[in-house]
Amino acid sequence: SHRHRQRAKVVMALNEPMAESLSHSDSSKKRGAGLLLVSFSLQGLHPRILLLLRSATSGHPFTWGLPGGNLDEADDAGDHGRSSSSSLSVSFAAALRETKEEIGAVPPSAATELANGTALARGGMVTHRGKRLQKKYVVFAVKCDDEETSKWTPTLNDEHTAFGWFDAADVAQAANNGTE
């Protein structure tokens, strides 16, 4: 079924390396990074993705998105001319910083995966955003334990008003349909 294919894509994305060159030789002037926190049940079925509802004062009010944000000037300043792997590390550090700003601590199982380097070793999924697709945005997938996430509550900053764990197949279908 369609839902099972979508779930399989999420599971494959978490188990395969996902690197693309992040060198500054391309035309992307803006860069950002975030975390795709994916919660799995013990049986590995029905993966759910953490989304945050942006506040009225955010750049995209009342839309759902992943925790993350723009690379700061300090991130970018030391990154010019670096290799793809170094650039990936800079993006990863920015994703961690932005996520911490937006939700506080991640669930313990995610913290373990982040600390032991599993999420960074997987690489990042590179997307392009903005009106002219001028912004390169790297997303790092992180596995979370479902039982743990059902008891975990993020500490949202003022950029967000709500959070939710959404079925990955529903998120994928909405993204493919261009809905928010």
Side-chain angles (χ1 to χ4, degrees), residues 45-93:
L45 303 173
H46 307 289
R48 297 179 305 135
I49 296 172
L50 176 69
L51 295 177
L52 308 177
L53 181 61
R54 295 179 184 101
S55 69
T57 58
S58 78
H60 300 281
F62 309 114
T63 59
W64 292 92
L66 301 174
N70 293 326
L71 270 69
D72 290 343
E73 286 183 22
D75 299 321
D76 259 344
D79 195 32
H80 290 284
R82 289 189 178 193
S83 68
S84 295
S85 61
S86 294
S87 191
L88 193 66
S89 294
V90 168
S91 294
F92 185 70

Side-chain angles (χ1 to χ4, degrees), residues 1-169:
S1 82
H2 176 70
R3 291 177 71 79
H4 288 292
R5 284 193 304 275
Q6 293 296 346
R7 285 188 190 102
K9 287 179 185 178
V10 170
V11 172
M12 285 175 31
L14 286 168
N15 291 318
E16 308 252 337
M18 304 172 280
E20 177 185 309
S21 173
L22 297 174
S23 70
H24 284 276
S25 61
D26 63 32
S27 61
S28 300
K29 298 204 185 304
K30 292 184 174 184
R31 296 189 312 145
L35 296 183
L36 173 68
L37 295 165
V38 183
S39 177
F40 286 92
S41 68
L42 293 175
Q43 297 81 18
L45 303 173
H46 307 289
R48 297 179 305 135
I49 296 172
L50 176 69
L51 295 177
L52 308 177
L53 181 61
R54 295 179 184 101
S55 69
T57 58
S58 78
H60 300 281
F62 309 114
T63 59
W64 292 92
L66 301 174
N70 293 326
L71 270 69
D72 290 343
E73 286 183 22
D75 299 321
D76 259 344
D79 195 32
H80 290 284
R82 289 189 178 193
S83 68
S84 295
S85 61
S86 294
S87 191
L88 193 66
S89 294
V90 168
S91 294
F92 185 70
L96 294 177
R97 184 193 69 249
E98 286 289 331
T99 299
K100 185 175 181 179
E101 286 174 12
E102 293 180 1
I103 66 170
V106 296
S109 56
T112 299
E113 184 162 298
L114 292 167
N116 69 20
T118 304
L120 178 58
R122 236 183 245 120
M125 296 173 278
V126 179
T127 65
H128 293 272
R129 297 180 177 185
K131 292 177 185 168
R132 296 174 307 284
L133 300 178
Q134 77 281 9
K135 180 178 183 179
K136 188 175 267 190
Y137 196 89
V138 184
V139 178
F140 296 91
V142 182
K143 294 179 188 177
C144 303
D145 175 77
D146 195 52
E147 185 176 323
E148 188 179 270
T149 59
S150 65
K151 300 172 190 165
W152 173 81
T153 302
T155 303
L156 300 175
N157 68 3
D158 60 354
E159 296 174 26
H160 301 93
T161 59
F163 77 98
W165 291 94
F166 296 88
D167 186 280

